[in-house]
Amino acid sequence: MTIQAVPATTVIRRAYRLTLDPTPRQAQMLSHWAGAARAMYNHSISAKQESHKRWLQEVAFATYGPVALTEEQARKTIRIPIPSTPDFNAWLTGTRNFHREAAGKGLPVPGLRDDGREHEPWLHAVNRSALVGGLRNADRAWNNWMASFKGIRAGRRVGYPRFKKRGVARDSFTITHDRKSPGIRLATTRRLRIPTFGEIRFHDHAKHLQRKIRRGTVEITSVTVSRHGHRWYASLAVEETIPVPRLSKRKRTAGIIGVDLGVHTLAALSNGDLIANPKIKASHARKLARLQKRLARSQKGSRTWKQLVHKIGRLAHLEARQREGYAHDLANRLVKTWAGIGIEDLNVAGMTRSARGTIEKPGRNVHAKAGLNRSILDVAPAQIRRILEYKTAWSGTCLVVIGRFEPTSKKCSACGVEKDKLPRKERIFHCDACGLTLDRDINAAINIAALADVATAELPVSIRRGIVHGRHETPVEPPRANPFPTRAGNGRRRNVDRPARVIFAQ
Ligand SMILES: [Zn+2]
């Protein structure tokens, strides 16, 4: 009898983004579908705003008269429900049926709004799921605003939901996979099948994804089709079964790395490596400037003007893709090499705030600060952080986020003495106390590594394993009973609980 080794697996949600290559007619149809989703979004937002306005009026009304309530009481007692996706179901069915019948008879169909606008031929031609996707996005926007307003949502303030405008909002629609009639699938490795829409060619191919689907490790849950620049993309959201992340011996031996994301260099590592800043923005600056000059001199709305807008959009898109590529490269390199990665919790929104000030209190060095902001955004530290977060979770590497106010750059990594001041232009860190002379970013990276090391010291040995900076040994663990012995039977292969990989060190 042979005992089958039970592989330890876990299911993650991720997305595969594939470039589409629609025919001109298909590209137009994609725009129509995105337009339909946008119309649903706007319809929902409008209904929500309407209810909200009515509620505000009634609250105001209740605070007047002989039996006036206080505003607080009024806010608590008056309830007007805000319509959400399920409330639009019957309306959507009715309207679609009506449009379908009218279109069949060749009759003009009244518009979505009762303002005498002509009919929307797409409403019954578009997959219902794409329309519901628009409604759902509106729910999300509304809930985010509410949560932010009530102060139960972290991060920057979310504004009052606005309408999406054609040509301004991103063209996109989402179709969810219906398990009963699974419509989204790869027709071939070169063609994506979208229900109701049909088949669209990929720009390249999806062999890697097809293989995983055939093997049964990947299941498609939804597809979001969106336009960026001149390209259409399909982002396939999937549930993927992967082996439980485990640290390889090589990574355990490598230990923790500290990473200082910077402007001067893309990243400085605590082992002394400097990764150069690709300076993406600068590489396109001349071309962009030339296009913008021509745009400024052309007649707004003219044929040339439209072409130039298209070209500028294309350039911006190319830039974003390049930036993303560099971020992925860096993250891959870090995640594949180290058992633990320490990074700083950078407040990018705060860091890149304008120095302009107010009329009463004008800021100083506004121009220089604007340049620095551009450089920070050119490196996109928040994007690198986001990519690191999921890549570490999939690979078993531990990500340690160092508190925002730790003095990582002003502190000497050798003796720990802190400087009062360290001007940004000083590239070399020189310690007056011990004489250490080092690249300032590498000095910061070493401090980050040390802090990450302290932060992970409390972790159970099973997670921490060999994550000890500079110490090349694996802590000895007592052997445990293994319910699923492998061929070797050494009790090593077991289904370990997946620990929270992102650690916030404050
Ligand atoms: Zn020192």
Side-chain angles (χ1 to χ4, degrees):
M1 197 183 89
T2 51
I3 296 167
Q4 200 94 47
V6 178
T9 58
T10 180
V11 176
I12 57 164
R13 283 165 187 277
R14 63 169 294 189
Y16 287 86
R17 187 164 68 170
L18 295 150
T19 314
L20 296 174
D21 187 15
T23 61
R25 159 130 187 74
Q26 280 181 327
Q28 201 183 20
M29 231 169 111
L30 289 174
S31 290
H32 285 165
W33 279 45
R38 190 172 55 232
M40 287 300 119
Y41 178 93
N42 288 341
H43 181 76
S44 175
I45 290 291
S46 149
K48 287 177 208 295
Q49 287 187 353
E50 211 74 342
S51 297
H52 185 232
K53 268 184 211 148
R54 239 183 34 241
W55 178 76
L56 286 175
Q57 276 169 0
E58 295 211 359
V59 166
F61 192 67
T63 53
Y64 285 105
V67 280
L69 301 169
T70 64
E71 195 181 321
E72 202 180 334
Q73 282 172 329
R75 278 174 176 272
K76 270 189 185 145
T77 47
I78 293 167
R79 288 264 169 267
I80 290 178
I82 300 284
S84 67
T85 303
D87 303 318
F88 295 110
N89 261 334
W91 166 81
L92 190 58
T93 309
T95 316
R96 268 161 69 87
N97 284 344
F98 185 59
H99 281 208
R100 189 171 290 127
E101 272 171 35
K105 289 176 195 159
L107 297 172
V109 186
L112 202 60
R113 295 184 223 144
D114 308 322
D115 57 1
R117 297 227 331 227
E118 81 278 29
H119 80 283
E120 337 282 0
W122 37 260
L123 194 59
H124 65 275
V126 171
N127 189 294
R128 188 190 174 101
S129 186
L131 303 175
V132 173
L135 294 172
R136 287 217 181 103
N137 282 344
D139 290 352
R140 199 173 309 140
W142 191 265
N143 292 340
N144 284 346
W145 167 70
M146 283 288 268
S148 183
F149 186 76
K150 287 178 184 162
I152 49 176
R153 186 180 199 271
R156 202 193 277 203
R157 252 318 186 27
V158 176
Y160 192 62
R162 286 180 299 176
F163 294 112
K164 283 188 198 279
K165 205 174 154 192
R166 188 167 72 97
V168 177
R170 161 128 3 261
D171 277 346
S172 128
F173 64 88
T174 300
I175 292 194
T176 35
H177 199 69
D178 183 1
R179 273 174 212 266
K180 274 178 278 176
S181 58
I184 310 162
R185 61 187 162 81
L186 300 178
T188 66
T189 52
R190 288 196 173 273
R191 299 180 89 86
L192 175 71
R193 175 152 199 93
I194 296 175
T196 320
F197 191 97
E199 286 180 13
I200 313 179
R201 252 182 81 92
F202 290 125
H203 191 64
D204 37 17
H205 63 80
K207 277 184 190 155
H208 55 304
L209 188 58
Q210 179 81 309
R211 208 172 298 134
K212 286 175 177 172
I213 291 171
R214 290 224 172 105
R215 232 184 259 150
T217 55
V218 159
E219 208 176 320
I220 297 170
T221 53
S222 73
V223 62
T224 298
V225 179
S226 55
R227 189 177 60 80
H228 300 251
H230 63 298
R231 289 233 185 275
W232 283 93
Y233 293 95
S235 183
L236 288 155
V238 303
E239 282 179 0
E240 182 168 352
T241 311
I242 58 163
V244 166
R246 293 156 53 88
L247 290 180
S248 66
K249 196 171 175 187
R250 193 168 55 85
K251 271 164 74 167
R252 294 207 305 265
T253 315
I256 285 184
I257 191 82
V259 183
D260 180 59
L261 297 173
V263 173
H264 196 75
T265 48
L266 177 63
L269 310 186
S270 55
N271 66 352
D273 284 357
L274 287 170
I275 297 159
N277 182 349
K279 298 203 171 147
I280 297 161
K281 195 125 214 151
S283 67
H284 296 292
R286 272 184 63 188
K287 199 171 176 187
L288 184 66
R290 209 169 56 225
L291 288 172
Q292 276 170 338
K293 197 153 119 191
R294 280 179 59 198
L295 184 73
R297 286 171 183 175
S298 62
Q299 175 101 39
K300 194 173 176 181
S302 70
R303 206 181 136 95
T304 320
W305 184 85
K306 274 183 197 152
Q307 275 174 355
L308 286 168
V309 167
H310 180 79
K311 274 187 185 165
I312 290 171
R314 214 178 145 134
L315 199 64
H317 170 60
L318 178 70
E319 206 178 290
R321 287 306 301 266
Q322 282 181 353
R323 190 168 292 126
E324 198 183 19
Y326 279 104
H328 274 282
D329 278 355
L330 173 65
N332 270 334
R333 187 168 151 190
L334 294 172
V335 163
K336 282 183 181 157
T337 323
W338 309 93
I341 300 167
I343 55 166
E344 261 184 308
D345 183 12
L346 298 171
N347 173 13
V348 178
M351 264 163 38
T352 54
R353 198 162 291 147
S354 172
R356 207 178 294 138
T358 56
I359 294 172
E360 295 84 39
K361 252 178 86 182
R364 287 171 55 211
N365 297 333
V366 177
H367 193 72
K369 180 68 169 77
L372 179 67
N373 287 353
R374 270 197 299 276
S375 318
I376 293 171
L377 293 174
D378 196 21
V379 173
Q383 187 180 37
I384 298 174
R385 153 95 179 262
R386 185 182 58 78
I387 294 171
L388 270 177
E389 271 177 24
Y390 68 75
K391 280 206 201 301
T392 48
W394 297 345
S395 68
T397 292
C398 182
L399 182 67
V400 187
V401 181
I402 307 297
R404 208 167 276 183
F405 303 107
E406 291 286 347
T408 50
S409 48
K410 285 181 199 163
K411 198 162 128 187
C412 171
S413 59
C415 68
V417 171
E418 264 178 57
K419 280 178 185 282
D420 295 338
K421 249 197 254 174
L422 184 65
R424 209 180 290 276
K425 64 170 194 276
E426 252 175 58
R427 300 306 318 157
I428 302 292
F429 183 93
H430 182 81
C431 180
D432 297 325
C434 71
L436 174 84
T437 306
L438 195 62
D439 181 278
R440 74 174 274 156
D441 294 336
I442 291 175
N443 180 60
I446 295 173
N447 284 328
I448 292 169
L451 287 164
D453 193 33
V454 173
T456 50
E458 302 282 303
L459 291 180
V461 174
S462 60
I463 301 172
R464 195 168 148 83
R465 304 244 171 184
I467 315 179
V468 182
H469 192 57
R471 214 195 294 162
H472 292 244
E473 61 193 30
T474 310
V476 182
E477 278 178 88
R480 277 193 233 169
N482 184 0
F484 306 116
T486 59
R487 257 162 296 160
N490 58 11
R492 266 210 192 148
R493 240 189 169 179
R494 61 180 165 257
N495 198 344
V496 282
D497 288 336
R498 231 172 105 211
R501 291 291 170 185
V502 183
I503 297 157
F504 291 90
Q506 287 304 327

